[in-house]
Amino acid sequence: MKKLSLIIFVSFWSLITLAQSNLISNTGARKSLSLNGKWEYIVDPYETGFYDYRYKELKENNPDAYWNTDVQVNKTEKKEHGYVEKYSLEVPGDWNHQEPQFLFYEGTVWYKKSFDLEKAFGEHKFFLYFGAVNYRADVYLNGKKLGMHKGGFTPFNFEVPESLLKEKGNFLVVKVDNKRYADEVPTLNTDWWNYGGITREVKLMEVPTDFIQDFVVQLKKDTSGKAPDKTPEVEGWVKLNRAPAKGELITIELPELKYKKVFAAEGQLTALHFKLPKLQLWSPETPKLYTVIIKTKNDQTKDKIGFRTIAAHGTQVLLNGKPIFMRGISIHGEIPQEVRRAYSAADAAQLLGQARELGCNMVRLAHYPHDETMTRLADSLGILVWSEIPVYWTIDFGNPEVLGKAKAQLEEMITRDHNRASVIIWSVGNETPISPVRTNFMHNLLTRARELDNTRMVSAALEVNYSALKDKNIVDDPLGEFVDLVAFNEYLGWYGGLPDKCRTTNWDTPYNKPLFVSETGGDAKGGFHADSLTRFSEEYQEWYFKEQVAMFKRMPAKFVGISPWILADFRSPKRNNPLYQDGWNRKGLYDDKGNKKKAFYIMKAWYEQIKKEQQH
Ligand code: GCB
């Protein structure tokens, strides 16, 4: 009885907190005006855009602010800024790769876009939607501030009052600031490039006045260890932008299954619970997606959704009730050939295509939520996904505001992707050094992730207690108690000794849970050949992976997969070996030109062998 009331309390609580966010999901299905393309810019390292000459101080609300005015009104006007075509940047796209002056830039850039709009006035609302802006975005339209957002890898939207929109010459300005701060997420120190700018798509969306803001249509969580029923149960909800009128109905349709069900709207949030007819479950071998249509009186949206169950059961991970071994790879959201952030369907096709060539059925999208094109493509290719927020290394764990920032990013990540069958793990962070404050912080995030979505596993890449026992390393991070999957970053033979150390080392965890190696790897400069004892040579990396694979074969039965570090070389200001790194982390199995290194073939061969043995 106690347990039941707890469950009711938890879901009631999550319904209330879900109602607070105004993020719209499934935006690809919405009528919208793309604002991608050229945006004019002003680089502003001194924050002059806020400078008020009258008071000699920085003030957001002053007549000269860069968001407020554009060109000279008449020839006598003194104007010391302006937006012109000569200074323009492509959106989406980080600024770093677009102009040499931006390579190392961390600071403010003002972006401006003019647009016209054929407006359908009346029964509509407008939202400005950003796929991601790194890190802080202050958004102004036609001289009014719409809002501010922090967090470089998650979407956000602001409602645009219709009275603010003009048919011609709308003046949209975004102040983008990618300076790093100790109390942000991530914090000052990361092992990746702090690409700045409007890095993902921008659009003006039009929705009916009463609209479907978000929804979850997923198979009900099943921890019984059994395969889903022939007619599997769906559990979810539909969230409207506001409380519905009396008697409002919500219809769910899956045309391919000839399925239709009508629900009475219960409030802003309506819980869904129903059984689907017999269907093809989603899996890496059969990544079947069904069109799901959701209708209210005034609105309609549709998505393509795969149906599967995923759960940690004892020490195994069960996909549709069957144990699965994850042949993974970690991936950064970066296209090394062009030294830029990934943002497009073509970029996703490159990255996931490379992962498939390696023989993967899983990817760890490190260390932040990647572009939505990645999880969408993973859905249709049948690739399992670990998705993570940038709670990385030494976040200011004792600061409740920082926890709030991490939670906001977690919620945005989950809201965007909670209908993606591919996503099986929400990760709340990476290698966070053990202390009571950090465990409390991370536990909080894990709890929040479960409240928001109880159908997936939750995890984090944990710290290891090296040589706790002779020749046995133990993953006993106290956070292990709260995760579904005990994952750890391993690196034996790169950060500790030489690869032959793997011969005498074993791994375990005291937790009776599945064990996953979320990272392991070593640097090799593509094309640099030497003997296998020479660091940074392809031969060293090849030897490293040979020893690793041999060690993995001795892993305990609870070992359920691995995502080596990393698919491709990536930019990092921390990697300053002038001969071999030169500002690149070289742990890629592909080099920065897309060539496969020798180690690639070691992993590929092992993955092929596993695939044969396990038939999936
Ligand atoms: C790690 C981090 C990853 C680094 C990697 C490395 O443990 O999680 O972000 O890039 O090691 O190369 O050292």
Side-chain angles (χ1 to χ4, degrees):
M1 190 60 203
K2 236 184 189 165
K3 206 166 176 191
L4 186 70
S5 53
L6 184 74
I7 293 167
I8 291 169
F9 173 75
V10 167
S11 46
F12 176 68
W13 171 247
S14 39
L15 289 185
I16 290 181
T17 44
L18 274 170
Q20 286 165 2
S21 153
N22 81 339
L23 185 61
I24 300 171
S25 68
N26 194 35
T27 62
R30 292 294 175 183
K31 184 176 171 194
S32 61
L33 173 72
S34 169
L35 296 175
N36 294 343
K38 281 199 182 326
W39 288 54
E40 290 155 8
Y41 72 85
I42 302 172
V43 195
D44 187 13
Y46 286 17
E47 303 285 339
T48 307
F50 282 159
Y51 189 70
D52 192 323
Y53 288 92
R54 296 162 307 172
Y55 305 105
K56 301 261 181 297
E57 61 183 8
L58 294 179
K59 274 175 79 188
E60 183 175 9
N61 277 312
N62 78 72
D64 280 324
Y66 287 8
W67 54 268
N68 213 357
T69 61
D70 187 2
V71 286
Q72 260 184 322
V73 177
N74 60 54
K75 69 180 184 184
T76 60
E77 193 188 4
K78 181 181 75 61
K79 180 127 296 199
E80 296 199 48
H81 74 273
Y83 298 94
V84 290
E85 213 191 318
K86 181 177 155 201
Y87 297 105
S88 50
L89 288 166
E90 283 296 331
V91 169
D94 61 85
W95 60 52
N96 309 68
H97 84 284
Q98 298 196 43
E99 294 281 350
Q101 62 162 334
F102 284 127
L103 179 61
F104 286 96
Y105 186 67
E106 294 187 303
T108 285
V109 173
W110 295 82
Y111 279 76
K112 178 236 151 176
K113 179 91 177 165
S114 295
F115 65 92
D116 301 337
L117 184 69
E118 277 177 34
K119 282 199 294 177
F121 285 98
E123 299 296 296
H124 294 89
K125 275 181 182 288
F126 292 89
F127 285 86
L128 254 177
Y129 178 88
F130 294 81
V133 174
N134 190 31
Y135 175 82
R136 174 181 168 141
D138 290 81
V139 181
Y140 309 86
L141 181 70
N142 296 333
K144 285 254 156 25
K145 185 160 188 173
L146 295 180
M148 186 276 283
H149 178 265
K150 282 181 177 185
F153 303 95
T154 44
F156 57 96
N157 48 241
F158 297 125
E159 184 169 355
V160 182
E162 194 171 295
S163 56
L164 204 60
L165 283 166
K166 302 190 283 189
E167 288 200 16
K168 291 255 170 290
N170 289 286
F171 180 70
L172 173 62
V173 174
V174 185
K175 178 184 188 290
V176 182
D177 184 358
N178 74 332
K179 284 196 284 297
R180 288 166 293 121
Y181 293 97
D183 61 348
E184 295 296 337
V185 180
T187 179
L188 295 169
N189 197 12
T190 63
D191 187 21
W192 69 79
W193 206 264
N194 181 24
Y195 289 104
I198 304 179
T199 49
R200 295 186 189 160
E201 65 165 337
V202 187
K203 57 194 176 189
L204 183 70
M205 293 192 301
E206 187 184 320
V207 290
T209 319
D210 296 320
F211 68 97
I212 299 160
Q213 189 184 309
D214 189 12
F215 54 89
V216 169
V217 178
Q218 293 281 287
L219 289 195
K220 189 180 166 196
K221 176 91 175 179
D222 188 349
T223 48
S224 68
K226 294 195 201 117
D229 285 352
K230 285 225 160 49
T231 55
E233 256 180 282
V234 165
E235 227 176 44
W237 42 262
V238 172
K239 178 179 174 183
L240 307 174
N241 64 314
R242 60 185 186 205
K246 235 185 158 192
E248 173 91 55
L249 300 175
I250 296 173
T251 309
I252 311 286
E253 267 179 78
L254 285 87
E256 200 181 329
L257 296 174
K258 300 196 172 48
Y259 181 82
K260 183 172 172 175
K261 186 159 168 104
V262 181
F263 294 83
E266 291 160 0
Q268 200 183 341
L269 267 152
T270 300
L272 305 176
H273 191 180
F274 55 92
K275 280 193 167 212
L276 280 173
K278 188 166 182 286
L279 49 69
Q280 168 81 67
L281 292 170
W282 185 97
S283 75
E285 300 76 42
T286 55
K288 172 71 188 162
L289 303 175
Y290 290 91
T291 297
V292 177
I293 303 171
I294 301 165
K295 281 186 195 157
T296 57
K297 186 163 152 251
N298 299 312
D299 194 17
Q300 160 163 346
T301 185
K302 70 176 174 194
D303 201 353
K304 289 191 132 194
I305 299 181
F307 297 97
R308 52 103 192 91
T309 55
I310 187 79
H313 184 75
T315 57
Q316 292 184 315
V317 169
L318 304 184
L319 178 74
N320 299 325
K322 284 195 225 118
I324 182 150
F325 187 86
M326 289 173 271
R327 308 183 309 271
I329 187 75
S330 296
I331 307 184
H332 258 298
E334 185 173 309
I335 298 296
Q337 291 86 343
E338 292 169 26
V339 200
R340 61 167 176 80
R341 276 262 167 260
Y343 61 82
S344 65
D347 293 345
Q350 171 180 320
L351 298 171
L352 294 181
Q354 287 177 325
R356 287 243 287 200
E357 266 199 88
L358 183 62
C360 296
N361 62 2
M362 183 263 185
V363 292
R364 174 180 179 215
L365 301 184
H367 284 298
Y368 38 76
H370 286 210
D371 191 82
E372 192 174 343
T373 51
M374 285 291 273
T375 47
R376 291 263 172 195
L377 185 60
D379 258 19
S380 36
L381 293 179
I383 298 179
L384 305 165
V385 171
W386 160 310
S387 186
E388 183 164 298
I389 50 168
V391 170
Y392 184 87
W393 291 350
T394 51
I395 295 290
D396 187 358
F397 294 108
N399 183 338
E401 279 178 28
V402 174
L403 179 61
K405 291 170 191 174
K407 276 190 180 167
Q409 294 187 36
L410 181 72
E411 294 179 17
E412 289 162 351
M413 167 175 80
I414 293 178
T415 301
R416 193 193 73 182
D417 281 350
H418 49 197
N419 285 309
R420 302 285 68 80
S422 54
V423 179
I424 56 163
I425 299 160
W426 300 125
S427 162
V428 298
N430 177 74
E431 282 183 4
T432 50
I434 301 171
S435 76
V437 209
R438 98 71 228 229
T439 301
N440 187 36
F441 184 103
M442 300 299 278
H443 184 198
N444 231 297
L445 290 177
L446 289 165
T447 307
R448 185 71 187 125
R450 285 189 209 281
E451 278 170 9
L452 291 165
D453 178 6
N454 73 0
T455 70
R456 292 173 172 80
M457 296 184 286
V458 294
S459 192
L462 301 181
E463 292 279 285
V464 176
N465 193 349
Y466 289 96
S467 301
L469 303 167
K470 194 171 179 297
D471 295 336
K472 198 164 207 179
N473 296 332
I474 304 289
V475 189
D476 60 1
D477 183 325
L479 208 56
E481 195 185 329
F482 309 116
V483 295
D484 292 316
L485 181 76
V486 174
F488 68 105
N489 296 350
E490 178 245 304
Y491 290 104
L492 196 71
W494 184 258
Y495 288 127
L498 293 174
D500 55 6
K501 223 176 160 184
C502 293
R503 294 177 196 166
T504 51
T505 304
N506 296 303
W507 297 87
D508 211 345
T509 174
Y511 301 105
N512 191 37
K513 296 184 179 184
L515 184 65
F516 182 82
V517 174
S518 36
E519 288 179 30
T520 183
D523 286 55
K525 171 130 169 84
F528 171 50
H529 297 287
D531 64 76
S532 58
L533 281 169
T534 307
R535 291 254 178 188
F536 297 104
S537 71
E538 284 199 36
E539 285 69 17
Y540 186 104
Q541 194 193 34
E542 181 187 36
W543 179 38
Y544 177 95
F545 275 100
K546 274 188 188 160
E547 297 287 356
Q548 290 277 322
V549 167
M551 181 175 71
F552 294 145
K553 292 183 177 163
R554 299 196 314 272
M555 281 292 216
K558 56 178 75 162
F559 178 49
V560 294
I562 144 167
S563 54
W565 195 253
I566 188 169
L567 183 75
D569 292 356
F570 61 97
R571 290 287 274 152
S572 169
K574 297 174 73 69
R575 305 296 174 175
N576 294 318
N577 180 308
L579 293 179
Y580 306 117
Q581 294 180 311
D582 212 10
W584 290 82
N585 183 314
R586 297 281 185 202
K587 295 190 186 70
L589 297 182
Y590 288 86
D591 71 11
D592 57 311
K593 307 281 181 298
N595 301 313
K596 295 168 183 127
K597 300 182 195 168
K598 289 183 128 188
F600 173 94
Y601 298 98
I602 303 299
M603 283 311 296
K604 186 178 166 72
W606 185 45
Y607 280 174
E608 266 166 15
Q609 192 189 333
I610 297 174
K611 201 173 169 188
K612 262 194 222 132
E613 284 164 11
Q614 306 193 337
Q615 301 298 313
H616 56 63

